[in-house]
Amino acid sequence: MNPLGRSKPSTNPNLGCTDFITMGERELSAFFNTVKQLFGSEQAELSAEDWLRELIEIDALPASAREWRVITAKASTRLAGRVSASSLSTQPQIA
């Protein structure tokens, strides 16, 4: 199974809570594996924590792949800020 592959949105309006949780697990797993591959284990762990914080902040369990992706997008924004700040602090200073 390709962890970077996109999942198809469900067309079944009768999905149960377990199905929504499975969607979330897949989304987090794909996000974690991608960040790990691109930026390393440390950033992947920090990004997973960001992802979980975003999940905690919403009022209800996401009910679609699109809603899970919103969480991933917000966590990605935090990752981008960390990576940008890190690259700026490691660049040589011009005197």
Side-chain angles (χ1 to χ4, degrees):
M1 185 170 158
N2 180 359
L4 301 178
R6 294 182 181 222
S7 62
K8 295 179 183 177
S10 174
T11 56
N12 182 352
N14 299 318
L15 287 175
C17 183
T18 303
D19 297 317
F20 296 136
I21 292 171
T22 300
M23 272 192 237
E25 288 172 345
R26 288 181 181 162
E27 184 71 17
L28 175 56
S29 177
F31 179 59
F32 180 87
N33 289 328
T34 301
V35 174
K36 183 176 178 182
Q37 182 180 17
L38 295 173
F39 300 104
S41 295
E42 181 180 352
Q43 288 299 329
E45 289 178 22
L46 292 170
S47 294
E49 290 173 10
D50 291 339
W51 194 96
L52 292 169
R53 276 190 213 101
E54 292 296 335
L55 177 60
I56 290 168
E57 289 180 11
I58 61 175
D59 292 332
L61 188 63
S64 70
R66 181 179 180 273
E67 291 175 7
W68 286 109
R69 296 251 164 75
V70 169
I71 294 170
T72 301
K74 290 179 179 182
S76 296
T77 301
R78 292 184 184 192
L79 169 64
R82 261 195 318 275
V83 171
S84 293
S86 174
S87 68
L88 289 174
S89 67
T90 59
Q91 291 180 352
Q93 299 293 324
I94 300 175

